[in-house]
Amino acid sequence: MPNVLITGAGRGIGLEFVRQYAADGWDVIASARRPQEADALLATGAEVFALDAADPQSIAALAEQIGSRAIDVLIANAGIYPQGLDVEGWLQAFATNSIGPTLLANALRANVAASSQRKMVAISSRMGSIADNSSGGAIAYRSSKAALNAAWHSLALELRKEGICMAVLHPGWVQTDMGGAGAMIDAQTSVSGLRQVIAGLSIEQTGRFFNYDGQELPW
């Protein structure tokens, strides 16, 4: 069976990824910041590790625990939505949304390269698109996701020679704790679409930015 590693799996989109992949028979490795409090995640039967996506030492510890195990699909999902222009919150957004996923991808590149599918995706946001920004606002969040997009595009060019396909994905406006109850789609719809996009990714598409329905998005 193929396996998948999903970060930020304690709730929302990450938890739904775990549920759907597990239901399809995948071996699921999941991480949460505080696994002991993630009852819904623990109930899925996934193999669960602790990970603070903003902490390089935590990322290194997870990589050590994974060892040399092959990872078919890595989904860097953990993220936060900072409010306002508080400097500490803005820096935390960069640590969690931009730097952490990139360090994780680099730390596990050999694991992904050793697999059959060799895919890495990061859950980004259309709000990280500079070309698509016509409303302004959410500066800290937008800039952290734009940085993620830039970092992953650059790393994708580097890892292409290892046969690894990387992409950044917009999940839509999803009814989660982050997206709110008034969002346009539920987590099941978002993740189902994202999984189809992931399944169809090829090395020719590495370094690109896609919506959950497969539409390519502008940088």
Side-chain angles (χ1 to χ4, degrees):
M1 283 294 172
N3 63 20
V4 57
L5 188 154
I6 303 157
T7 70
R11 59 183 181 176
I13 292 171
L15 180 59
E16 184 59 27
F17 266 122
V18 172
R19 288 172 171 159
Q20 290 197 22
Y21 275 111
D24 280 353
W26 285 55
D27 291 328
V28 179
I29 308 164
S31 75
R33 199 173 184 183
R34 292 181 290 273
Q36 68 278 10
E37 299 176 13
D39 294 339
L41 174 58
L42 295 172
T44 65
E47 185 178 3
V48 180
F49 294 94
L51 175 67
D52 181 345
D55 182 356
Q57 292 184 344
S58 183
I59 292 168
L62 176 64
E64 185 174 350
Q65 289 173 297
I66 297 296
S68 60
R69 189 185 330 186
I71 297 172
D72 286 285
V73 177
L74 183 154
I75 301 175
N77 168 71
I80 61 172
Y81 192 104
Q83 301 295 327
L85 287 177
D86 170 71
V87 172
E88 184 176 346
W90 198 350
L91 291 172
Q92 186 67 20
F94 268 84
T96 305
N97 295 350
S98 317
I99 300 170
T102 308
L103 293 179
L104 180 71
N106 192 57
L108 296 176
R109 58 196 289 177
N111 303 77
V112 176
S115 74
S116 298
Q117 297 200 22
R118 298 194 293 270
K119 297 177 182 180
M120 296 186 186
V121 300
I123 302 305
S124 184
S125 172
R126 195 165 194 155
M127 292 178 73
S129 169
I130 296 172
D132 192 56
N133 183 2
S134 60
S135 62
I139 290 173
Y141 182 72
R142 287 183 186 277
S143 60
S144 70
K145 290 298 189 178
L148 169 67
N149 292 354
W152 272 57
H153 179 75
S154 185
L155 189 58
L157 299 178
E158 180 181 336
L159 297 191
R160 180 171 183 146
K161 63 180 179 293
E162 299 176 26
I164 295 174
C165 176
M166 300 181 69
V168 289
L169 307 178
H170 171 56
W173 184 18
V174 187
Q175 296 160 9
T176 62
D177 290 347
M178 183 184 292
M184 296 178 63
I185 59 173
D186 58 27
Q188 293 89 341
T189 300
S190 172
V191 170
S192 178
L194 290 168
R195 289 185 60 215
Q196 289 186 48
V197 174
I198 294 168
L201 287 175
S202 66
I203 194 66
E204 289 74 27
Q205 296 169 308
T206 196
R208 291 160 69 177
F209 186 15
F210 295 100
N211 195 36
Y212 76 98
D213 62 3
Q215 174 191 4
E216 187 163 6
L217 299 174
W219 298 110

